[in-house]
Amino acid sequence: MDNRCHCAPSSDRFSNPILYNILSQMDNSKPNQNCLNYNSIPHRCNCELRRTVCLKRPSEVCKEASAVLVKTVHFMKNLPAFNQMPPNDQFILLKSCWAPLFILGLAQEQVNFEVTDTPADSMLKRILLNRQESPDMERKQPTMSGVSKLRSCLKKFWSLDLSPKEYAYLKGTTIFNPDVPYLKAAVFVEGLQQEAQHALSAMVQLLHPGDQERFARILLTASMLQSITPSLITELFFRPVIGQADLLELLVDMLFCR
């Protein structure tokens, strides 16, 4: 059986079957015999990598996600070691770790969500209205592939059933990442990460003395966090709330507002 995806067009001309069908009705020229019959192609691409999705219950889930985000920023803000770093280093770490921390928050708060296909008429509306958007307004929509990665990551954490202290120390190892470029206090950050890892290891041994592999499983699961892009988190959970605002700017305001 052929499992290859046949929904991807072979040229830009046919990249949007809806648009092609509209324009082809206005084209009186004889169709090329080599062209595919695009009337037989569904209007939506069923390829898992291409399907764009949105939240099924945005009002409820966005409220839960916003609460998790506020807790995430407060967690960083209340860390004495974080506050001792230069403000620019705080900003760099915030930019690099807010999304992984938020995902850990989703896991800890047991936030469940469902998605549905993005309304199919959104592209057609832009065509008919001839709306021209600037490059900054063109945003990458969440895909089913990205959501599947996020769900897989959450399920892994739920299967581990981490305690609040395990989550706290794991968040510490995530925040204090010395590999983030341009840190002035990289050595200090590396020491803090090592302390957090040692504390996590000690907590795991205390809570699960018979499970010698748990610490390694936690770190392995945490490595999945880097495969989930901040843009997916932003567009899926916060774009319905913040509109065109820059989420990172809002996070900076929350973090540095004393």
Side-chain angles (χ1 to χ4, degrees), residues 5-159:
C5 175
H6 296 283
C7 55
S10 58
S11 68
D12 289 339
R13 181 183 175 187
F14 305 118
S15 62
N16 191 314
I18 297 176
L19 177 58
Y20 172 75
N21 290 331
I22 293 172
L23 297 180
S24 63
Q25 294 175 11
M26 302 169 61
D27 187 359
N28 295 322
S29 61
K30 185 177 180 180
N32 190 323
Q33 293 180 353
N34 294 327
C35 289
L36 295 174
N37 180 9
Y38 276 83
N39 291 323
S40 65
I41 297 179
H43 287 178
R44 292 194 61 79
C45 175
N46 290 322
C47 176
E48 191 73 4
L49 294 176
R50 289 173 169 264
R51 282 177 57 200
T52 58
V53 296
C54 58
L55 291 173
K56 200 168 185 179
R57 297 175 294 109
S59 58
E60 299 173 29
V61 177
C62 287
K63 184 177 180 180
E64 291 181 270
S66 297
V68 170
L69 189 65
V70 169
K71 288 182 180 179
T72 297
V73 176
H74 283 176
F75 180 84
M76 296 181 69
K77 194 172 180 178
N78 292 329
L79 288 176
F82 184 80
N83 290 317
Q84 292 172 13
M85 291 188 297
N88 191 58
D89 279 10
Q90 293 182 35
F91 170 75
I92 291 172
L93 291 178
L94 171 68
K95 184 177 180 181
S96 70
C97 77
W98 76 263
L101 283 182
F102 172 78
I103 298 169
L104 288 174
L106 289 181
Q108 185 172 9
E109 300 294 330
Q110 299 279 322
V111 176
N112 265 306
F113 63 93
E114 296 179 16
V115 296
T116 185
D117 287 348
T118 304
D121 63 352
S122 58
M123 179 63 73
L124 179 59
K125 283 181 179 179
R126 287 205 296 269
I127 295 167
L128 297 178
L129 296 176
N130 195 26
R131 183 181 299 170
Q132 300 295 324
E133 294 186 346
S134 65
D136 331 293
M137 296 177 67
E138 292 178 2
R139 304 186 186 278
K140 190 173 181 180
Q141 296 299 310
T143 64
M144 195 62 207
S145 175
V147 170
S148 295
K149 285 183 182 179
L150 174 58
R151 281 176 167 166
S152 176
C153 184
L154 290 174
K155 287 178 181 177
K156 289 278 189 182
F157 278 112
W158 291 335
S159 69

Side-chain angles (χ1 to χ4, degrees), residues 75 104 108-109 160-172 200 203 207-208 214:
F75 180 84
L104 288 174
Q108 185 172 9
E109 300 294 330
L160 288 170
D161 193 22
L162 300 180
S163 69
K165 288 189 177 180
E166 285 175 313
Y167 269 116
Y169 292 133
L170 183 57
K171 289 176 183 178
L200 175 59
M203 184 56 59
L207 297 177
H208 305 272
R214 181 175 175 83

